[in-house]
Amino acid sequence: VDRGDAVRASPVSYTSRDDVANEIHVAYSFDIQQDKLRESFTLSGDPTAAQPHLLCRLSEQRYGRRVREVSTEVVYDAATAGRVAQWMAGFYALQHREIVLDVDSSSWGYLEPGDAVTVTDSTVGLKDTLAWVISIPWAPAPVISLRLLVLSNPAITPYQSA
């Protein structure tokens, strides 16, 4: 935005609080004979928990306890289940910002949902901030609107003052 190749087309909005999770349960290690998952890995903000997580603690203080459960039949070791839980905690612990940018389709038309981009918009405190393209509603015009999810993980995206 600051380079002049995009225009913010909407105010900044936030994802729903209903999407926030700060206690993550990953069920794994499928037992084919018993037809059930045998192991589980839990990550939470509780400092007395086996796997305390600081971002989950911050989230729990801000939003209250919110649980998300996931199961997988393809993970068989605790280390991988832990990595899944860590990723989920990083993604779901806080609300994310959403912005819509209008861009020139001839310059930015190659982007697809799921692509990662960086955004700089000093009016809302973004400087080379990682964002995901979540949708691109096409219109018969030289301008397309990119709907972006700005990831809100203070460990990797600290607030940049304008």
Side-chain angles (χ1 to χ4, degrees), residues 68-86:
R68 181 172 292 247
E69 297 178 356
V70 64
S71 62
T72 175
E73 295 181 1
V74 297
V75 172
Y76 283 86
D77 62 286
T80 303
R83 293 294 295 157
V84 169
Q86 291 279 346

Side-chain angles (χ1 to χ4, degrees), residues 16 32 51 61 136 141 155:
S16 172
I32 195 165
Q51 298 293 328
Q61 290 171 344
I136 306 173

Side-chain angles (χ1 to χ4, degrees), residues 33-55:
Q33 293 176 331
Q34 295 184 9
D35 193 32
K36 69 177 188 174
L37 296 165
R38 293 181 298 161
E39 304 289 334
S40 67
F41 186 97
T42 299
L43 191 66
S44 76
D46 181 357
T48 64
Q51 298 293 328
H53 191 273
L54 291 176
L55 191 56

Side-chain angles (χ1 to χ4, degrees), residues 34-153:
Q34 295 184 9
D35 193 32
K36 69 177 188 174
L37 296 165
R38 293 181 298 161
E39 304 289 334
S40 67
F41 186 97
T42 299
L43 191 66
S44 76
D46 181 357
T48 64
Q51 298 293 328
H53 191 273
L54 291 176
L55 191 56
C56 288
R57 182 158 175 79
L58 170 68
S59 174
E60 188 172 338
Q61 290 171 344
R62 186 177 293 176
Y63 305 107
R65 184 172 172 260
R66 295 172 178 262
V67 178
R68 181 172 292 247
E69 297 178 356
V70 64
S71 62
T72 175
E73 295 181 1
V74 297
V75 172
Y76 283 86
D77 62 286
T80 303
R83 293 294 295 157
V84 169
Q86 291 279 346
W87 183 91
M88 290 181 71
F91 187 80
Y92 291 110
L94 300 172
Q95 289 178 285
H96 300 291
R97 291 174 285 180
E98 290 185 13
I99 59 173
V100 177
L101 299 179
D102 286 343
V103 297
D104 181 354
S105 62
S106 64
S107 298
W108 297 99
Y110 65 90
L111 290 173
E112 298 178 358
D115 285 348
V117 297
T118 57
V119 178
T120 298
D121 185 347
S122 59
T123 63
V124 292
L126 301 176
K127 183 174 194 270
D128 295 328
T129 303
L130 182 62
W132 279 343
V133 177
I134 52 178
S135 70
I136 306 173
W138 283 87
V143 173
I144 56 174
S145 296
L146 301 177
R147 194 164 136 241
L148 304 175
L149 183 68
V150 179
L151 303 181
S152 299
N153 183 334

